[in-house]
Amino acid sequence: MDLVNHLEGRLLFAATLDLLAGVDIQFRRETRLDIALVKNLPIALIFLPAADIPTFVGEGRVDLGITGRDQVAEHDAQLPNGETSDVEEIMDLGFGACKLQVQVPEKGNVTEAKQLIGRNVVTSFTGLTEAFFAKLEGVDDTNKLSTKIKYVGGSVEAACALGVADGIVDLVESGETMKAAGLKAIDTVVESTSVLVKSKKTQNPLVELITSRIRGVITAQKYVLCQYNIPRSELHTAASITPGKRAPTVTALEEDGWVAISSMVEKKKIATVMDELTKVGATDILVLNIANSRTG
């Protein structure tokens, strides 16, 4: 079970490294060192556990961070009453999707989260879990909770089997760990994905540069470039199918009555778009990958 979590963590780390390579942040991380100097920019990379990143960003110790939206939400939930968060989400990075879910034994009789009120719940996300059950119980102070929320740093899924908890609140990515532990999800506390965050205290001009580069790479990963020829009489219809980020690029062909169109299309929609273009008379449809971008 721990192997699945370890592999998922490695995949997220690999996706982050690919993103850094895409924005041309060149560095070499020495074995076991958590700090690496960037060769082509006056910045340093700090490798931290995902749960620690919102704290360092919020305190202004680092300017930018990549972590899970769940970790940011947990950090904010732990803040004292009246204190506002200094962590600002800049963009969704599109990888690492997961859900923080309430889970109970598959063979048990609990089917709704409210059935856990007054019982033992184990989690590593105590702030979000306390807020979730406070809402269920209708109390405005987590100190008044009748549900007993206990913190466990790892192997949360084992808590029910060991008799420590009646239910848990834990992250679900592939669902394999949950199923292997004999658990089922009965409610969702928060949905998460990897996000780029910045400190509200930062005044570093490089933040905007790096953010712009990352946005360009993320956009390039989501879109492809679709090029095709179409009779000018069908130009309006074709343009509505491929409107692009701002507008399609239209070029006249040497053949009278025909134009060539080039437009960015969401990668996940390209098959349907090609079908629709073919129906309105488009020919020579080509789809090209985008390595990087700067779009409005």
Side-chain angles (χ1 to χ4, degrees):
M1 291 183 288
D2 286 337
L3 176 61
V4 175
N5 284 332
H6 182 57
L7 288 174
E8 288 170 337
R10 286 174 58 187
L11 291 173
L12 294 179
F13 184 64
T16 301
L17 292 183
D18 288 343
L19 180 61
L20 293 177
V23 299
D24 194 31
I25 291 180
Q26 302 172 17
F27 69 97
R28 178 180 177 182
R29 183 185 180 188
E30 299 294 340
T31 306
R32 297 184 181 179
L33 288 182
D34 292 333
I35 298 178
L37 295 179
V38 174
K39 300 176 182 178
N40 57 334
L41 287 171
I43 60 176
L45 299 179
I46 305 173
F47 298 87
L48 298 168
D52 293 345
I53 291 174
T55 298
F56 282 85
V57 172
E59 292 184 358
R61 306 300 179 183
V62 295
D63 300 300
L64 285 170
I66 294 175
T67 187
R69 184 176 285 121
D70 55 297
Q71 301 293 352
V72 177
E74 175 64 15
H75 167 269
D76 293 353
Q78 297 276 11
L79 293 174
N81 287 335
E83 185 174 327
T84 58
S85 175
D86 282 321
V87 181
E88 179 183 341
E89 179 180 325
I90 301 177
M91 75 180 83
D92 185 332
L93 298 177
F95 59 85
C98 61
K99 296 179 181 180
L100 184 64
Q101 295 189 308
V102 182
Q103 304 168 38
V104 295
E106 179 72 39
K107 296 181 180 179
N109 57 7
V110 176
T111 58
E112 296 179 289
K114 64 182 180 181
Q115 293 175 263
L116 292 173
I117 292 176
R119 302 170 79 172
N120 294 321
V121 176
V122 163
T123 184
S124 56
F125 292 83
T126 54
L128 288 172
T129 302
E130 287 174 354
F132 177 82
F133 279 95
K135 186 175 181 180
L136 281 184
E137 294 187 29
V139 298
D140 56 6
D141 185 350
T142 55
N143 291 319
K144 298 178 182 177
L145 280 174
S146 63
T147 308
K148 303 169 187 65
I149 311 298
K150 300 179 180 180
Y151 174 81
V152 173
S155 299
V156 178
E157 69 279 353
C160 292
L162 295 174
V164 178
D166 300 296
I168 68 170
V169 175
D170 200 17
L171 289 176
V172 176
E173 294 178 82
S174 66
E176 294 301 319
T177 301
M178 179 180 66
K179 293 176 183 177
L183 300 170
K184 63 181 178 182
I186 58 173
D187 212 331
T188 298
V189 177
V190 66
E191 294 190 10
S192 180
T193 186
S194 295
V195 292
L196 179 69
V197 295
K198 77 171 183 177
S199 172
K200 293 180 181 178
K201 301 177 181 179
T202 184
Q203 296 181 353
N204 192 328
L206 287 174
V207 166
E208 185 57 37
L209 172 68
I210 296 170
T211 298
S212 177
R213 288 187 181 187
I214 290 177
R215 183 173 286 112
V217 171
I218 295 301
T219 299
Q221 292 173 349
K222 291 181 179 179
Y223 287 83
V224 290
L225 188 65
C226 183
Q227 297 179 334
Y228 58 92
N229 298 330
I230 191 84
R232 184 175 290 277
S233 60
E234 297 294 337
L235 175 57
H236 179 74
T237 302
S240 67
I241 298 173
T242 58
K245 290 282 288 181
R246 178 170 297 172
T249 299
V250 181
T251 307
L253 294 180
E254 288 296 323
E255 184 176 350
D256 288 341
W258 283 78
V259 294
I261 293 183
S262 179
S263 183
M264 292 175 65
V265 176
E266 284 189 75
K267 190 176 294 185
K268 63 183 179 181
K269 297 179 180 179
I270 189 60
T272 301
V273 166
M274 292 175 74
D275 293 339
E276 293 177 357
L277 289 173
T278 300
K279 289 179 182 178
V280 298
T283 63
D284 308 314
I285 304 172
L286 301 177
V287 177
L288 308 175
N289 286 325
I290 303 172
N292 209 329
S293 70
R294 290 290 194 278
T295 60

